Amino acid sequence: MSIANEKRARVVVVGSCSMDLVVTSSRRPGAGETVLGESFKTVPGGKGANQAVAAARLGAEVSMIGRVGDDSLGQTILDNLNQNGVLVQNVEPVTHCESGTAHIILAEGDNSIIVVEAANREVTPEYVEKARATIEQADIVLIQQEIPAETVLLVSRICKQAGVPLLLNPAPARPVEAEIIENSTYLTPNEHEASLLFDGTDLSESLRKYPNRLIVTEGSRGVRYFDGSEEVVVPSYPVEAVDTTGAGDTFNAAFAVALAEGQGIADSLRFANRAASLSVTRFGAQGGMPTRQEVEEALA
């Protein structure tokens, strides 16, 4: 099923910009163990930048709000955003700390990640306040949790005051203030994040509390939400996974783009699931992210 791109959605992403340092190995080392890796690559990443690039490739007009270090990694991150058509007027270098990094091990068909926040800690409420006008003019705002919690709270307040839909991807998992949850138009946790968000509450109970707002991703089983009368499962698309890094970011970006274009939740989720399924068939968080044409051809 194709989504008609009748208008170019204005998507604002507030979040992290990092460099991914990726090691591929046949297996993960145990504690105190050394194993031989097969390859090493540096690729631009960070959940915020990943989502910005994914949304831009899917046809949106994307503005990124974030920070990088005043170093070579930061310049590479900025160049990559520019090359992908992301507007970077609100991505300023920080002089007193390095760019954020993610240290990724790809082994046994999945990934393990250690994130060093660095410059991403400087995406403060005061910094984001300077970009308030950009947020207020968005069709949808996309935010994650690799930046300070107080910044996420401020963005949620700005969006609520301005009547701008906010999609909170609550990853990495950490407790979220009730006000942020109430201010968010859509929440997209995985099962583990949902359990943490709602303190172990039964999933079905949580879904019913937030109809058409709480969207829980369940990996290969698809995506689950409550439409006001029943639980709906939007199935995933089975593929041979090469690299799952960035699949969730692709999903969230695609969901945001489709919603901003006026699509309903079910159609938006199908679009998002298809985009995510394509992303895991290629290497790299951003390298695997599909274009709009690729997703629509796959849906046809």
Side-chain angles (χ1 to χ4, degrees):
M1 182 176 184
S2 175
I3 289 180
N5 192 4
E6 295 176 356
K7 72 181 184 71
R8 198 169 180 220
R10 291 173 299 174
V11 176
V12 171
V13 181
V14 185
S16 57
C17 300
S18 300
M19 187 64 73
D20 290 352
L21 311 176
V22 187
V23 173
T24 303
S25 178
S26 60
R27 67 181 183 88
R28 288 176 180 78
E33 182 185 15
T34 299
V35 301
L36 290 175
E38 296 168 357
S39 67
F40 171 74
K41 294 182 174 69
T42 59
V43 288
K47 296 191 74 65
N50 286 348
Q51 293 177 11
V53 167
R57 288 190 187 170
L58 293 169
E61 178 187 295
V62 183
S63 295
M64 180 76 210
I65 300 174
R67 304 203 80 171
V68 295
D70 186 17
D71 51 26
S72 60
L73 293 181
Q75 190 57 54
T76 301
I77 293 166
L78 282 171
D79 290 345
N80 179 69
L81 289 170
N82 272 312
Q83 289 162 11
N84 280 282
V86 177
L87 302 174
V88 295
Q89 291 93 328
N90 294 301
V91 184
E92 295 180 8
V94 183
T95 58
H96 58 274
C97 66
E98 69 277 7
S99 293
T101 51
H103 303 256
I104 301 170
I105 297 175
L106 297 178
E108 300 156 342
D110 211 335
N111 60 59
S112 301
I113 306 174
I114 298 175
V115 172
V116 181
E117 295 172 294
N120 294 306
R121 287 192 294 267
E122 301 303 315
V123 186
T124 61
E126 294 76 19
Y127 177 75
V128 168
E129 184 65 50
K130 297 189 296 182
R132 177 183 281 263
T134 298
I135 294 170
E136 292 174 338
Q137 293 163 12
D139 291 322
I140 195 166
V141 171
L142 187 50
I143 197 165
Q144 329 74 32
Q145 298 200 121
E146 289 180 343
I147 58 174
E150 57 267 27
T151 303
V152 179
L153 177 59
L154 174 66
V155 172
S156 78
R157 289 172 173 171
I158 293 173
C159 287
K160 183 174 183 180
Q161 291 164 5
V164 175
L166 174 66
L167 194 163
L168 170 62
N169 173 214
R174 72 182 182 209
V176 178
E177 285 189 44
E179 183 183 349
I180 295 174
I181 293 174
E182 293 308 316
N183 289 347
S184 299
T185 316
Y186 305 99
L187 297 150
T188 57
N190 61 25
E191 295 165 281
H192 168 64
E193 291 155 358
S195 177
L196 185 63
L197 274 180
F198 303 110
D199 196 24
T201 301
D202 178 74
L203 178 58
S204 292
E205 185 179 335
S206 297
L207 290 170
R208 287 176 176 274
K209 186 177 179 181
Y210 299 98
N212 296 307
R213 293 181 57 207
L214 177 59
I215 315 292
V216 179
T217 59
E218 299 181 318
S220 61
R221 299 195 305 279
V223 183
R224 186 181 303 270
Y225 71 103
F226 183 71
D227 70 358
S229 58
E230 63 180 356
E231 280 188 26
V232 178
V233 176
V234 180
S236 63
Y237 293 84
V239 293
E240 191 70 34
V242 172
D243 181 2
T244 58
T245 311
D249 296 330
T250 302
F251 170 87
N252 279 279
F255 185 43
V257 170
L259 289 169
E261 291 176 357
Q263 299 304 308
I265 289 178
D267 284 344
S268 296
L269 289 173
R270 279 189 282 273
F271 182 73
N273 276 347
R274 199 63 180 116
S277 74
L278 293 173
S279 77
V280 304
T281 63
R282 291 175 289 210
F283 177 81
Q286 295 179 15
M289 290 172 172
T291 64
R292 181 60 171 254
Q293 182 177 348
E294 287 172 330
V295 178
E296 293 195 338
E297 286 176 356
L299 283 168

